[in-house]
Amino acid sequence: MVGMFVGTIVLVLLVRWIIAGMEQLGWDQRAQNIVLIVVILAYLVLSWFLARALHRRMVATSSRAIRFGIPVIATALAVTTFWLWSNPGGVFASLAGGSSSRLSMGSGAVWEFGRYPDSEILQRLKREKITAVISLEHPGDLVERQGIEEERRATRELGLRLIEAPMLPWVSNNQASLDMIRSIARKGTGRYYVHCGLGRDRVNLVKHMLEGMGARTVAATGYMEGNFFDTRIPNFERGQLGTFGDDKWLVPYPDKHEMLGNILQGKTASLILALDTTDAQQRQWWQEARTLFKEYAIPFEDMSTKPGDQARIRQIVASLLALRGPAAVIVPLTPKVDGKHRPGSETSDQIVREFTAQTHRRVTWTTKGEYVPGQPVERGNTEMREPIGG
């Protein structure tokens, strides 16, 4: 109970303020990563000590008020936190900086993306004669269930059409819901408001998909981009993540959870595929990646290579350095510990050496620790709690 309340304060308020402050001071990504690791560890230690101190106080006291007051207050805080997460469009979305963006389809339909709609948003949508509200929240998520029921009641009372396309990105591929939205995008006209909880991860996934269908951005004030690779703490399944600086990365081919959490529903970034298509496994990855990147409008360049092709390695590094904004080179495998060579990391090793030769800078390996198969990574960080309402 104590951990849930303290963790919410850390996630929604403290982390946001710390990141904003470091960005204003011009701190690089490595420094930001170190600070956030310290914050997470401090949160775990603080929660443990706080729970231990409260328990000792309860056991040692002779006061009935304290003995019963502590669990009552702790329970009240936990229940309040749970209730707030069940309606993330209120306090949490505003604290997290949630806002909206709009896309226009060739058919003339306009898609607006945002956070869970409270009564004020729903009334605005009613005045603007919105065609339908599309909810991505899932009744299987306990903390979203109350918000779903409230939205059903509110839209019914206002006479708004509610379309439910429930998604659990960290559990399934959500194909049925995505197919439903594709069908609406192809045939629908008018205006649609698409939301999840905080208006970020699931919303980003749908937004990328529609962009892949030809939608264009018409407004995006304050839109919340998803994660990239900078928030990741443990290794990927196939190795470490390395940064060249300037939000440019070297990453191993992601598993399905990592692909979803860090790329498909992450911030807009350019990718370079540096896989060996003569290898059966890597060709399968190459085909999978090309299909997904085209479907979700992820900009990418196919620069297939074999280990030892130094001319191609030089081209890959030069292309990466020429890209503007966030970017990454995807290789088959990377080292697992401290950037040290291991069987299969040859392409990664050669790119690192070539980068140093061209720039006289070193790659910084930002992740560590064992990969945990199947652990949720919606927010790009498998050491944090499963995402709630986002």
Side-chain angles (χ1 to χ4, degrees):
M1 291 186 291
V2 172
M4 184 175 187
F5 174 74
V6 175
T8 296
I9 297 298
V10 171
L11 175 64
V12 177
L13 292 177
L14 186 59
V15 168
R16 180 190 172 207
W17 293 340
I18 289 173
I19 291 175
M22 289 189 293
E23 288 177 348
Q24 288 180 356
L25 293 172
W27 289 23
D28 63 24
Q29 192 58 60
R30 178 174 172 78
Q32 292 185 36
N33 288 344
I34 293 173
V35 171
L36 291 180
I37 290 172
V38 172
V39 169
I40 292 170
L41 293 175
Y43 150 65
L44 295 173
V45 173
L46 175 63
S47 296
W48 184 82
F49 274 107
L50 184 56
R52 184 167 176 263
L54 291 174
H55 180 263
R56 284 186 170 184
R57 178 64 171 159
M58 287 170 54
V59 172
T61 187
S62 59
S63 169
R64 290 173 58 86
I66 294 177
R67 181 171 297 172
F68 290 101
I70 289 176
V72 167
I73 293 173
T75 301
L77 290 174
V79 170
T80 300
T81 304
F82 182 87
W83 176 80
L84 289 171
W85 274 118
S86 70
N87 181 21
V91 177
F92 287 161
S94 59
L95 291 174
S99 59
S100 64
S101 69
R102 292 181 183 178
L103 294 180
S104 174
M105 299 294 294
S107 63
V110 174
W111 294 71
E112 180 177 348
F113 303 88
R115 60 181 174 85
Y116 179 91
D118 55 20
S119 59
E120 182 178 345
I121 291 177
L122 288 175
Q123 289 169 8
R124 172 180 66 81
L125 296 175
K126 174 69 174 179
R127 290 193 302 271
E128 295 175 357
K129 296 181 170 53
I130 198 81
T131 304
V133 176
I134 300 179
S135 172
L136 307 180
E137 295 202 303
H138 201 293
D141 187 332
L142 184 61
V143 298
E144 292 186 344
R145 194 172 300 166
Q146 180 179 338
I148 291 171
E149 292 298 329
E150 175 60 25
E151 184 177 17
R152 289 171 179 168
R153 182 196 61 78
T155 51
R156 185 168 57 249
E157 290 179 356
L158 289 171
L160 289 171
R161 182 186 178 197
L162 175 64
I163 298 173
E164 297 187 28
M167 295 175 62
L168 284 176
W170 54 93
V171 174
S172 69
N173 62 10
N174 307 286
Q175 197 59 51
S177 293
L178 291 173
D179 286 344
M180 178 193 304
I181 294 171
R182 285 193 192 96
S183 177
I184 296 171
R186 292 190 185 103
K187 303 173 184 176
T189 57
R191 287 186 54 200
Y192 299 87
Y193 182 83
V194 184
H195 74 86
C196 51
L198 298 180
R200 190 170 88 169
D201 297 306
R202 284 168 283 183
V203 155
N204 274 337
L205 184 64
V206 173
K207 182 172 181 284
H208 286 323
M209 181 186 74
L210 294 180
E211 288 171 337
M213 296 174 64
R216 60 185 180 85
T217 300
V218 294
T221 303
Y223 183 67
M224 291 177 67
E225 285 197 305
N227 291 317
F228 194 35
F229 300 112
D230 49 314
T231 58
R232 181 79 180 199
I233 293 176
N235 291 345
F236 268 15
E237 177 183 6
R238 299 182 179 98
Q240 291 182 288
L241 308 186
T243 178
F244 300 100
D246 301 322
D247 213 8
K248 291 183 170 57
W249 296 80
L250 178 64
V251 301
Y253 191 79
D255 70 10
K256 63 180 181 179
H257 301 288
E258 297 155 355
M259 177 72 79
L260 180 65
N262 295 96
I263 297 178
L264 300 185
Q265 65 185 25
K267 70 167 71 172
T268 301
S270 300
L271 304 176
I272 295 174
L273 280 175
L275 302 176
D276 180 0
T277 54
T278 64
D279 177 85
Q281 176 63 77
Q282 293 184 49
R283 184 170 183 81
Q284 182 180 340
W285 292 343
W286 175 79
Q287 291 172 334
E288 176 188 61
R290 285 170 53 88
T291 299
L292 288 171
F293 295 165
K294 289 179 180 179
E295 182 176 4
Y296 291 98
I298 306 296
F300 75 98
E301 185 175 1
D302 181 10
M303 301 192 72
S304 302
T305 186
K306 295 180 180 180
D309 188 344
Q310 195 57 41
R312 189 61 159 175
I313 296 295
R314 282 195 294 271
Q315 292 176 352
I316 290 170
V317 173
S319 294
L320 177 71
L321 293 174
L323 290 171
R324 294 185 177 182
V329 177
I330 299 177
V331 296
L333 302 177
T334 58
K336 283 196 170 182
V337 180
D338 298 330
K340 296 177 181 177
H341 168 77
R342 68 184 177 108
S345 72
E346 289 80 9
T347 299
S348 169
D349 301 339
Q350 291 160 15
I351 289 174
V352 169
R353 288 195 294 269
E354 181 61 30
F355 170 77
T356 300
Q358 290 190 27
T359 66
H360 304 291
R361 304 201 311 263
R362 301 183 65 181
V363 171
T364 300
W365 299 99
T366 63
T367 60
K368 61 181 180 179
E370 288 300 316
Y371 161 79
V372 180
Q375 193 166 350
V377 292
E378 186 190 22
R379 299 200 180 280
N381 184 342
T382 60
E383 288 190 354
M384 295 179 71
R385 292 172 58 86
E386 181 170 297
I388 303 175

